[in-house]
Amino acid sequence: MEMRILKKIFWIFCAVGILADAFVMKAWAAPEVIPEIEVDEENLYTGMDKTYKDGYRPRVENDTAHMVVPLVYADSVKNNILKVSLNLGNGKDIPFVSDTYEKEFSLTREKINGSEQTADCYLAVFDLKLKGDRKNGEYPVILTVQAENADGGPIHKEFTVKVTITDEKTPATEPSSEEPSTGEPSTEEPTTEPSTKDPTKEEPTTEPPAEEPKDDLNGAVDVTGPSGGGSGGASSGGGGGSEAPTFAPKMIVQSCTSSKEDIQAGDEVTLDITLRNTSSSESVRNMTVTIGDEGESLNLLSPTDTVYVDSVPAGQTCVVSYKYKILASAAPGAYGLTVSMDYADSKAASQSASGKIKMMVAQAVKMEFDTPVLDAEVQVGDVVNVQMQAMNLGRGTVYNVRAVIEADGLAPEGTLFIGNIEAGKTASGSTKVNVSGLSGANLYGRTEGTVTCYYEDENGKEYEKKMDISTTIKTPFSNKEEMKTDDTGQWWTVMAVIGGILVVFVVTIVLKSIKRNRKDEAEEESE
């Protein structure tokens, strides 16, 4: 009898063990992977000359950048519609015409790779109008994608597409003060009639103003004098009508070089300005060069804004230098400097000319990143949320701040994206990281890696900063107390109920067995 009772208890405990194993396996089941919106990098769609994997860039033509972004989503979204908006950045050097770009795109089946093969995607297409005075360079455009999943939950993702400008166009400037090379009179033959010229191409004749009226007057007397007729007077007169025209030499600003290749706010810089005498026969004498700046962000360190140059021979150049201090508060951009020149030509007549140079000033990019928040110990199978904060300590906006996590045993689900950060502001971002075993012989132990932070200034120049991270990867069975999640709490509740039932069942069986034994004993005694 007792053996039967023990067998029943044994089988009951076996059943309880099987149930416990089932709940443990459920608690350690792999978490469900939530799909995210992605850009199809593998396939070529209409309007694209390259795939994103091969370095796609929007096509620029007719003052328009044609952007194509194929978006794919592994799950379904509400009404099969994605809302896409564009952030073109800010700053006066961006090539895009300021406008609001926001559209809704439906799920469609598109032809891919120039064949009859098709694929389902949300094909986002934008035509970005370009400014007429754009500059060459790469300019990031941030796409923000928003939608709702089938359960009504929000979906949000951001992507960056760079637009490459190669057809730089500058705004219309004042007509050049340089004389056309064909306007020099040194090779022309003298004529017997007063020479004329196209006033749209040449400067007025610079004959000495004090003597010219007298020469004209004498010539007129010779022609009309009593000694000869009109033709005879013309042949014998010594007036100015028989002289070839002469032109005043022209001075232009030929070039400007600075002591620093990249000028930043707070720097001291020396500008070397090259001036050229465009005349092939006339020299320039007694020249003064005066420089003037625009705005209050440039502080002239040179003793004076005027430089004296004794002479500049025909066809030759001279260099004048000025030293500037750029204030730390200077806004990034181009600063114009006007160069004015006053000089005398070979006939001592006063002449003047002016030109303009531009000095590009950038704000120094100063970023600080907090070390990413990562637990000192993680377990295989965990999905941890890694957060990081960034601070913009500079005076200009920083764009596309993001971080890439690389470490053995850690598999991020994507780039940790923070976005644009204005001057003096702080922003943060996060990403999920799956914990797997180490790649070596030992699956568990300490792992070390890097977090590479990327960001861009207002001109699209990219910077990077690296930081070290480390953690210890442990086996999921090394510390069962750490397994207390919501599912684990439910498991303990169920086990407590099963244990209570088991105790009641065992007590009931034992009591029935005792009662049956007593009854048997009583019957034996009565017999």
PDB file of all heavy atoms in Angstrom, residues 40 43-47 68-71 105-125:
ATOM      1  N   ASP A  40      15.162  50.727 -49.500  1.00  0.00           N
ATOM      2  CA  ASP A  40      15.576  49.594 -50.341  1.00  0.00           C
ATOM      3  C   ASP A  40      16.909  49.950 -51.003  1.00  0.00           C
ATOM      4  O   ASP A  40      16.963  50.722 -51.955  1.00  0.00           O
ATOM      5  CB  ASP A  40      14.507  49.307 -51.392  1.00  0.00           C
ATOM      6  CG  ASP A  40      14.811  48.032 -52.176  1.00  0.00           C
ATOM      7  OD1 ASP A  40      15.914  47.494 -52.032  1.00  0.00           O
ATOM      8  OD2 ASP A  40      13.929  47.577 -52.934  1.00  0.00           O
ATOM      9  N   ASN A  43      17.813  47.574 -54.908  1.00  0.00           N
ATOM     10  CA  ASN A  43      17.162  47.634 -56.221  1.00  0.00           C
ATOM     11  C   ASN A  43      17.184  49.038 -56.800  1.00  0.00           C
ATOM     12  O   ASN A  43      17.263  50.038 -56.078  1.00  0.00           O
ATOM     13  CB  ASN A  43      15.709  47.146 -56.110  1.00  0.00           C
ATOM     14  CG  ASN A  43      15.640  45.675 -55.722  1.00  0.00           C
ATOM     15  OD1 ASN A  43      16.329  44.842 -56.300  1.00  0.00           O
ATOM     16  ND2 ASN A  43      14.814  45.366 -54.725  1.00  0.00           N
ATOM     17  N   LEU A  44      17.103  49.081 -58.141  1.00  0.00           N
ATOM     18  CA  LEU A  44      17.126  50.334 -58.901  1.00  0.00           C
ATOM     19  C   LEU A  44      15.699  50.642 -59.370  1.00  0.00           C
ATOM     20  O   LEU A  44      15.068  49.804 -60.016  1.00  0.00           O
ATOM     21  CB  LEU A  44      18.059  50.193 -60.101  1.00  0.00           C
ATOM     22  CG  LEU A  44      18.408  51.455 -60.883  1.00  0.00           C
ATOM     23  CD1 LEU A  44      19.273  52.374 -60.047  1.00  0.00           C
ATOM     24  CD2 LEU A  44      19.121  51.091 -62.184  1.00  0.00           C
ATOM     25  N   TYR A  45      15.206  51.843 -59.028  1.00  0.00           N
ATOM     26  CA  TYR A  45      13.850  52.245 -59.376  1.00  0.00           C
ATOM     27  C   TYR A  45      13.881  53.342 -60.445  1.00  0.00           C
ATOM     28  O   TYR A  45      14.924  53.947 -60.710  1.00  0.00           O
ATOM     29  CB  TYR A  45      13.105  52.740 -58.136  1.00  0.00           C
ATOM     30  CG  TYR A  45      12.804  51.649 -57.135  1.00  0.00           C
ATOM     31  CD1 TYR A  45      13.784  51.188 -56.256  1.00  0.00           C
ATOM     32  CD2 TYR A  45      11.531  51.077 -57.067  1.00  0.00           C
ATOM     33  CE1 TYR A  45      13.512  50.187 -55.342  1.00  0.00           C
ATOM     34  CE2 TYR A  45      11.249  50.078 -56.151  1.00  0.00           C
ATOM     35  CZ  TYR A  45      12.240  49.628 -55.293  1.00  0.00           C
ATOM     36  OH  TYR A  45      11.965  48.642 -54.394  1.00  0.00           O
ATOM     37  N   THR A  46      12.715  53.612 -61.017  1.00  0.00           N
ATOM     38  CA  THR A  46      12.597  54.637 -62.051  1.00  0.00           C
ATOM     39  C   THR A  46      13.057  55.985 -61.489  1.00  0.00           C
ATOM     40  O   THR A  46      12.640  56.395 -60.418  1.00  0.00           O
ATOM     41  CB  THR A  46      11.141  54.747 -62.520  1.00  0.00           C
ATOM     42  OG1 THR A  46      10.705  53.473 -63.005  1.00  0.00           O
ATOM     43  CG2 THR A  46      11.014  55.782 -63.630  1.00  0.00           C
ATOM     44  N   GLY A  47      13.904  56.676 -62.259  1.00  0.00           N
ATOM     45  CA  GLY A  47      14.433  57.968 -61.829  1.00  0.00           C
ATOM     46  C   GLY A  47      15.760  57.870 -61.115  1.00  0.00           C
ATOM     47  O   GLY A  47      16.329  58.893 -60.740  1.00  0.00           O
ATOM     48  N   VAL A  68      14.621  60.478 -55.343  1.00  0.00           N
ATOM     49  CA  VAL A  68      13.806  59.261 -55.326  1.00  0.00           C
ATOM     50  C   VAL A  68      14.253  58.422 -54.123  1.00  0.00           C
ATOM     51  O   VAL A  68      15.428  58.077 -54.003  1.00  0.00           O
ATOM     52  CB  VAL A  68      13.959  58.457 -56.627  1.00  0.00           C
ATOM     53  CG1 VAL A  68      13.113  57.191 -56.569  1.00  0.00           C
ATOM     54  CG2 VAL A  68      13.579  59.302 -57.824  1.00  0.00           C
ATOM     55  N   VAL A  69      13.304  58.088 -53.237  1.00  0.00           N
ATOM     56  CA  VAL A  69      13.622  57.306 -52.036  1.00  0.00           C
ATOM     57  C   VAL A  69      12.624  56.148 -51.938  1.00  0.00           C
ATOM     58  O   VAL A  69      11.457  56.352 -51.576  1.00  0.00           O
ATOM     59  CB  VAL A  69      13.554  58.160 -50.755  1.00  0.00           C
ATOM     60  CG1 VAL A  69      14.027  57.344 -49.557  1.00  0.00           C
ATOM     61  CG2 VAL A  69      14.383  59.424 -50.894  1.00  0.00           C
ATOM     62  N   PRO A  70      13.045  54.900 -52.279  1.00  0.00           N
ATOM     63  CA  PRO A  70      12.139  53.747 -52.156  1.00  0.00           C
ATOM     64  C   PRO A  70      12.119  53.234 -50.708  1.00  0.00           C
ATOM     65  O   PRO A  70      13.136  52.777 -50.186  1.00  0.00           O
ATOM     66  CB  PRO A  70      12.762  52.725 -53.104  1.00  0.00           C
ATOM     67  CG  PRO A  70      14.211  53.086 -53.161  1.00  0.00           C
ATOM     68  CD  PRO A  70      14.317  54.557 -52.929  1.00  0.00           C
ATOM     69  N   LEU A  71      10.971  53.319 -50.063  1.00  0.00           N
ATOM     70  CA  LEU A  71      10.827  52.916 -48.663  1.00  0.00           C
ATOM     71  C   LEU A  71      10.082  51.584 -48.598  1.00  0.00           C
ATOM     72  O   LEU A  71       9.084  51.378 -49.292  1.00  0.00           O
ATOM     73  CB  LEU A  71      10.063  53.977 -47.872  1.00  0.00           C
ATOM     74  CG  LEU A  71      10.689  55.376 -47.861  1.00  0.00           C
ATOM     75  CD1 LEU A  71       9.730  56.373 -47.229  1.00  0.00           C
ATOM     76  CD2 LEU A  71      12.012  55.367 -47.116  1.00  0.00           C
ATOM     77  N   PHE A 105       2.551  59.001 -49.308  1.00  0.00           N
ATOM     78  CA  PHE A 105       2.837  58.034 -50.364  1.00  0.00           C
ATOM     79  C   PHE A 105       2.169  56.707 -50.024  1.00  0.00           C
ATOM     80  O   PHE A 105       2.236  56.239 -48.875  1.00  0.00           O
ATOM     81  CB  PHE A 105       4.349  57.842 -50.532  1.00  0.00           C
ATOM     82  CG  PHE A 105       5.069  59.093 -50.935  1.00  0.00           C
ATOM     83  CD1 PHE A 105       5.657  59.911 -49.986  1.00  0.00           C
ATOM     84  CD2 PHE A 105       5.139  59.472 -52.263  1.00  0.00           C
ATOM     85  CE1 PHE A 105       6.322  61.070 -50.347  1.00  0.00           C
ATOM     86  CE2 PHE A 105       5.793  60.633 -52.636  1.00  0.00           C
ATOM     87  CZ  PHE A 105       6.385  61.432 -51.685  1.00  0.00           C
ATOM     88  N   SER A 106       1.518  56.116 -51.031  1.00  0.00           N
ATOM     89  CA  SER A 106       0.820  54.845 -50.849  1.00  0.00           C
ATOM     90  C   SER A 106       1.713  53.694 -51.289  1.00  0.00           C
ATOM     91  O   SER A 106       2.681  53.870 -52.043  1.00  0.00           O
ATOM     92  CB  SER A 106      -0.485  54.838 -51.655  1.00  0.00           C
ATOM     93  OG  SER A 106      -1.332  55.889 -51.246  1.00  0.00           O
ATOM     94  N   LEU A 107       1.366  52.510 -50.821  1.00  0.00           N
ATOM     95  CA  LEU A 107       2.087  51.299 -51.210  1.00  0.00           C
ATOM     96  C   LEU A 107       1.758  50.982 -52.668  1.00  0.00           C
ATOM     97  O   LEU A 107       0.590  50.847 -53.039  1.00  0.00           O
ATOM     98  CB  LEU A 107       1.693  50.139 -50.300  1.00  0.00           C
ATOM     99  CG  LEU A 107       2.388  48.812 -50.558  1.00  0.00           C
ATOM    100  CD1 LEU A 107       3.880  48.928 -50.282  1.00  0.00           C
ATOM    101  CD2 LEU A 107       1.781  47.714 -49.687  1.00  0.00           C
ATOM    102  N   THR A 108       2.790  50.874 -53.490  1.00  0.00           N
ATOM    103  CA  THR A 108       2.600  50.585 -54.917  1.00  0.00           C
ATOM    104  C   THR A 108       3.566  49.488 -55.342  1.00  0.00           C
ATOM    105  O   THR A 108       4.543  49.184 -54.649  1.00  0.00           O
ATOM    106  CB  THR A 108       2.847  51.838 -55.778  1.00  0.00           C
ATOM    107  OG1 THR A 108       4.178  52.338 -55.514  1.00  0.00           O
ATOM    108  CG2 THR A 108       1.841  52.929 -55.456  1.00  0.00           C
ATOM    109  N   ARG A 109       3.275  48.908 -56.483  1.00  0.00           N
ATOM    110  CA  ARG A 109       4.174  47.897 -57.071  1.00  0.00           C
ATOM    111  C   ARG A 109       4.945  48.577 -58.203  1.00  0.00           C
ATOM    112  O   ARG A 109       4.338  49.054 -59.162  1.00  0.00           O
ATOM    113  CB  ARG A 109       3.383  46.700 -57.576  1.00  0.00           C
ATOM    114  CG  ARG A 109       4.240  45.593 -58.192  1.00  0.00           C
ATOM    115  CD  ARG A 109       3.421  44.341 -58.428  1.00  0.00           C
ATOM    116  NE  ARG A 109       3.058  43.693 -57.178  1.00  0.00           N
ATOM    117  CZ  ARG A 109       3.837  42.821 -56.537  1.00  0.00           C
ATOM    118  NH1 ARG A 109       5.029  42.514 -57.029  1.00  0.00           N
ATOM    119  NH2 ARG A 109       3.443  42.281 -55.417  1.00  0.00           N
ATOM    120  N   GLU A 110       6.268  48.632 -58.085  1.00  0.00           N
ATOM    121  CA  GLU A 110       7.114  49.357 -59.020  1.00  0.00           C
ATOM    122  C   GLU A 110       8.051  48.406 -59.749  1.00  0.00           C
ATOM    123  O   GLU A 110       8.495  47.385 -59.193  1.00  0.00           O
ATOM    124  CB  GLU A 110       7.942  50.415 -58.276  1.00  0.00           C
ATOM    125  CG  GLU A 110       7.137  51.427 -57.485  1.00  0.00           C
ATOM    126  CD  GLU A 110       6.386  52.399 -58.361  1.00  0.00           C
ATOM    127  OE1 GLU A 110       6.785  52.563 -59.527  1.00  0.00           O
ATOM    128  OE2 GLU A 110       5.401  52.992 -57.882  1.00  0.00           O
ATOM    129  N   LYS A 111       8.370  48.766 -60.994  1.00  0.00           N
ATOM    130  CA  LYS A 111       9.370  48.011 -61.742  1.00  0.00           C
ATOM    131  C   LYS A 111      10.760  48.334 -61.203  1.00  0.00           C
ATOM    132  O   LYS A 111      11.044  49.471 -60.837  1.00  0.00           O
ATOM    133  CB  LYS A 111       9.294  48.349 -63.221  1.00  0.00           C
ATOM    134  CG  LYS A 111       8.028  47.848 -63.895  1.00  0.00           C
ATOM    135  CD  LYS A 111       8.060  48.126 -65.397  1.00  0.00           C
ATOM    136  CE  LYS A 111       6.808  47.585 -66.075  1.00  0.00           C
ATOM    137  NZ  LYS A 111       6.832  47.819 -67.540  1.00  0.00           N
ATOM    138  N   ILE A 112      11.618  47.328 -61.173  1.00  0.00           N
ATOM    139  CA  ILE A 112      12.963  47.509 -60.612  1.00  0.00           C
ATOM    140  C   ILE A 112      14.025  47.012 -61.581  1.00  0.00           C
ATOM    141  O   ILE A 112      13.763  46.155 -62.431  1.00  0.00           O
ATOM    142  CB  ILE A 112      13.106  46.777 -59.250  1.00  0.00           C
ATOM    143  CG1 ILE A 112      12.826  45.277 -59.410  1.00  0.00           C
ATOM    144  CG2 ILE A 112      12.187  47.382 -58.215  1.00  0.00           C
ATOM    145  CD1 ILE A 112      13.069  44.471 -58.135  1.00  0.00           C
ATOM    146  N   ASN A 113      15.205  47.613 -61.441  1.00  0.00           N
ATOM    147  CA  ASN A 113      16.420  47.172 -62.149  1.00  0.00           C
ATOM    148  C   ASN A 113      16.265  47.193 -63.667  1.00  0.00           C
ATOM    149  O   ASN A 113      16.891  46.401 -64.373  1.00  0.00           O
ATOM    150  CB  ASN A 113      16.838  45.776 -61.675  1.00  0.00           C
ATOM    151  CG  ASN A 113      17.040  45.703 -60.185  1.00  0.00           C
ATOM    152  OD1 ASN A 113      17.536  46.656 -59.570  1.00  0.00           O
ATOM    153  ND2 ASN A 113      16.639  44.599 -59.567  1.00  0.00           N
ATOM    154  N   GLY A 114      15.400  48.076 -64.194  1.00  0.00           N
ATOM    155  CA  GLY A 114      15.241  48.211 -65.636  1.00  0.00           C
ATOM    156  C   GLY A 114      14.667  46.994 -66.313  1.00  0.00           C
ATOM    157  O   GLY A 114      14.906  46.784 -67.510  1.00  0.00           O
ATOM    158  N   SER A 115      13.914  46.190 -65.561  1.00  0.00           N
ATOM    159  CA  SER A 115      13.349  44.969 -66.129  1.00  0.00           C
ATOM    160  C   SER A 115      11.857  44.926 -65.813  1.00  0.00           C
ATOM    161  O   SER A 115      11.275  45.878 -65.306  1.00  0.00           O
ATOM    162  CB  SER A 115      14.059  43.738 -65.557  1.00  0.00           C
ATOM    163  OG  SER A 115      13.805  43.639 -64.152  1.00  0.00           O
ATOM    164  N   GLU A 116      11.227  43.801 -66.144  1.00  0.00           N
ATOM    165  CA  GLU A 116       9.809  43.619 -65.847  1.00  0.00           C
ATOM    166  C   GLU A 116       9.589  43.135 -64.422  1.00  0.00           C
ATOM    167  O   GLU A 116       8.446  42.981 -63.985  1.00  0.00           O
ATOM    168  CB  GLU A 116       9.198  42.613 -66.843  1.00  0.00           C
ATOM    169  CG  GLU A 116       9.207  43.098 -68.280  1.00  0.00           C
ATOM    170  CD  GLU A 116       8.418  44.392 -68.443  1.00  0.00           C
ATOM    171  OE1 GLU A 116       7.357  44.524 -67.833  1.00  0.00           O
ATOM    172  OE2 GLU A 116       8.900  45.267 -69.208  1.00  0.00           O
ATOM    173  N   GLN A 117      10.658  42.890 -63.714  1.00  0.00           N
ATOM    174  CA  GLN A 117      10.536  42.468 -62.318  1.00  0.00           C
ATOM    175  C   GLN A 117       9.988  43.623 -61.474  1.00  0.00           C
ATOM    176  O   GLN A 117      10.304  44.791 -61.714  1.00  0.00           O
ATOM    177  CB  GLN A 117      11.901  42.030 -61.783  1.00  0.00           C
ATOM    178  CG  GLN A 117      11.856  41.446 -60.382  1.00  0.00           C
ATOM    179  CD  GLN A 117      13.236  41.055 -59.897  1.00  0.00           C
ATOM    180  OE1 GLN A 117      14.223  41.237 -60.617  1.00  0.00           O
ATOM    181  NE2 GLN A 117      13.318  40.514 -58.698  1.00  0.00           N
ATOM    182  N   THR A 118       9.135  43.303 -60.509  1.00  0.00           N
ATOM    183  CA  THR A 118       8.505  44.346 -59.696  1.00  0.00           C
ATOM    184  C   THR A 118       8.728  44.080 -58.211  1.00  0.00           C
ATOM    185  O   THR A 118       9.085  42.967 -57.811  1.00  0.00           O
ATOM    186  CB  THR A 118       7.000  44.426 -59.986  1.00  0.00           C
ATOM    187  OG1 THR A 118       6.392  43.166 -59.682  1.00  0.00           O
ATOM    188  CG2 THR A 118       6.738  44.813 -61.419  1.00  0.00           C
ATOM    189  N   ALA A 119       8.484  45.123 -57.424  1.00  0.00           N
ATOM    190  CA  ALA A 119       8.599  45.022 -55.956  1.00  0.00           C
ATOM    191  C   ALA A 119       7.633  46.021 -55.336  1.00  0.00           C
ATOM    192  O   ALA A 119       7.345  47.081 -55.903  1.00  0.00           O
ATOM    193  CB  ALA A 119      10.029  45.308 -55.503  1.00  0.00           C
ATOM    194  N   ASP A 120       7.125  45.671 -54.159  1.00  0.00           N
ATOM    195  CA  ASP A 120       6.230  46.562 -53.425  1.00  0.00           C
ATOM    196  C   ASP A 120       7.046  47.552 -52.616  1.00  0.00           C
ATOM    197  O   ASP A 120       7.993  47.162 -51.903  1.00  0.00           O
ATOM    198  CB  ASP A 120       5.323  45.768 -52.491  1.00  0.00           C
ATOM    199  CG  ASP A 120       4.299  44.932 -53.251  1.00  0.00           C
ATOM    200  OD1 ASP A 120       3.967  45.324 -54.381  1.00  0.00           O
ATOM    201  OD2 ASP A 120       3.854  43.900 -52.722  1.00  0.00           O
ATOM    202  N   CYS A 121       6.700  48.841 -52.710  1.00  0.00           N
ATOM    203  CA  CYS A 121       7.404  49.850 -51.933  1.00  0.00           C
ATOM    204  C   CYS A 121       6.568  51.119 -51.870  1.00  0.00           C
ATOM    205  O   CYS A 121       5.585  51.269 -52.595  1.00  0.00           O
ATOM    206  CB  CYS A 121       8.791  50.160 -52.517  1.00  0.00           C
ATOM    207  SG  CYS A 121       8.732  51.228 -53.974  1.00  0.00           S
ATOM    208  N   TYR A 122       6.975  51.995 -50.970  1.00  0.00           N
ATOM    209  CA  TYR A 122       6.429  53.346 -50.901  1.00  0.00           C
ATOM    210  C   TYR A 122       7.453  54.253 -51.588  1.00  0.00           C
ATOM    211  O   TYR A 122       8.486  54.586 -50.994  1.00  0.00           O
ATOM    212  CB  TYR A 122       6.213  53.776 -49.448  1.00  0.00           C
ATOM    213  CG  TYR A 122       5.255  52.891 -48.685  1.00  0.00           C
ATOM    214  CD1 TYR A 122       5.700  51.728 -48.051  1.00  0.00           C
ATOM    215  CD2 TYR A 122       3.910  53.213 -48.594  1.00  0.00           C
ATOM    216  CE1 TYR A 122       4.825  50.912 -47.350  1.00  0.00           C
ATOM    217  CE2 TYR A 122       3.022  52.404 -47.880  1.00  0.00           C
ATOM    218  CZ  TYR A 122       3.485  51.247 -47.269  1.00  0.00           C
ATOM    219  OH  TYR A 122       2.634  50.452 -46.575  1.00  0.00           O
ATOM    220  N   LEU A 123       7.206  54.615 -52.848  1.00  0.00           N
ATOM    221  CA  LEU A 123       8.190  55.341 -53.647  1.00  0.00           C
ATOM    222  C   LEU A 123       8.016  56.841 -53.401  1.00  0.00           C
ATOM    223  O   LEU A 123       7.118  57.489 -53.952  1.00  0.00           O
ATOM    224  CB  LEU A 123       8.025  55.014 -55.130  1.00  0.00           C
ATOM    225  CG  LEU A 123       9.184  55.466 -56.032  1.00  0.00           C
ATOM    226  CD1 LEU A 123      10.466  54.753 -55.651  1.00  0.00           C
ATOM    227  CD2 LEU A 123       8.856  55.200 -57.499  1.00  0.00           C
ATOM    228  N   ALA A 124       8.899  57.396 -52.552  1.00  0.00           N
ATOM    229  CA  ALA A 124       8.839  58.824 -52.218  1.00  0.00           C
ATOM    230  C   ALA A 124       9.660  59.610 -53.237  1.00  0.00           C
ATOM    231  O   ALA A 124      10.864  59.386 -53.385  1.00  0.00           O
ATOM    232  CB  ALA A 124       9.379  59.065 -50.812  1.00  0.00           C
ATOM    233  N   VAL A 125       9.006  60.531 -53.941  1.00  0.00           N
ATOM    234  CA  VAL A 125       9.652  61.328 -54.994  1.00  0.00           C
ATOM    235  C   VAL A 125       9.441  62.804 -54.680  1.00  0.00           C
ATOM    236  O   VAL A 125       8.317  63.236 -54.425  1.00  0.00           O
ATOM    237  CB  VAL A 125       9.088  60.986 -56.380  1.00  0.00           C
ATOM    238  CG1 VAL A 125       9.748  61.845 -57.452  1.00  0.00           C
ATOM    239  CG2 VAL A 125       9.282  59.500 -56.691  1.00  0.00           C
TER     240      VAL A 125
END
